[in-house]
Amino acid sequence: MSATFEQLVAWAAAEVEDTLALLPPELREKARALPVTYEPVPNAGLQEDGIAPDTLGLFVGPDFSDEELTPIPLPPQIIIFVDNLWDFVEGDEEIFREEVHTTFLHELGHYLGFGEDDLWDRGLD
């Protein structure tokens, strides 16, 4: 089945909302304040900065503990690359939603200060 960008964004946004609802209240409040944007793939600028063209998700900006102390001008946010996720799951809607869930939690983990090893240990690789 093929899906439009708008449909992928709708499914992804619904999955992010469902994931947020499952978080503990104190974490949910922090996570809801973090913008989530949806793009088809990493743009040329991100790729020039070393982001792989097939990246599924990305956290940008300072993590939660450094947010007020950093001179980084970008606010923290999560970017979900829906076309890449769709390709990764070979067009399966159910698996797409599962991968959005995992990708969102992975990038949220970065916001909370977890490194790749911490995320791996939590099954969010």
Side-chain angles (χ1 to χ4, degrees):
M1 172 179 115
S2 73
T4 65
F5 175 75
E6 291 77 16
Q7 184 63 59
L8 295 176
V9 169
W11 290 337
E15 188 58 42
V16 166
E17 281 302 312
D18 289 349
T19 302
L20 285 166
L22 297 173
L23 296 175
E26 64 281 357
L27 182 55
R28 185 179 322 125
E29 184 178 325
K30 290 176 188 169
R32 281 202 185 278
L34 184 63
V36 178
T37 59
Y38 304 92
E39 299 292 334
V41 298
N43 64 35
L46 288 173
Q47 290 184 41
E48 287 171 13
D49 288 342
I51 303 302
D54 62 349
T55 297
L56 304 179
L58 182 66
F59 168 73
V60 296
D63 67 38
F64 178 74
S65 64
D66 293 333
E67 199 168 351
E68 294 181 13
L69 307 173
T70 185
I72 297 174
L74 291 175
Q77 70 173 311
I78 292 173
I79 306 169
I80 304 289
F81 300 110
V82 295
D83 285 358
N84 284 352
L85 280 161
W86 188 246
D87 290 345
F88 180 72
V89 302
E90 299 177 347
D92 184 303
E93 181 184 345
E94 183 177 336
I95 299 172
F96 175 82
R97 291 175 185 267
E98 291 170 9
E99 287 300 324
V100 167
H101 173 86
T102 301
T103 300
F104 173 72
L105 287 177
H106 178 100
E107 301 310 331
L108 180 61
H110 284 306
Y111 174 63
L112 297 173
F114 297 130
E116 292 297 329
D117 289 341
D118 296 321
L119 295 167
W120 174 266
D121 291 346
R122 289 170 172 77
L124 298 173
D125 51 323

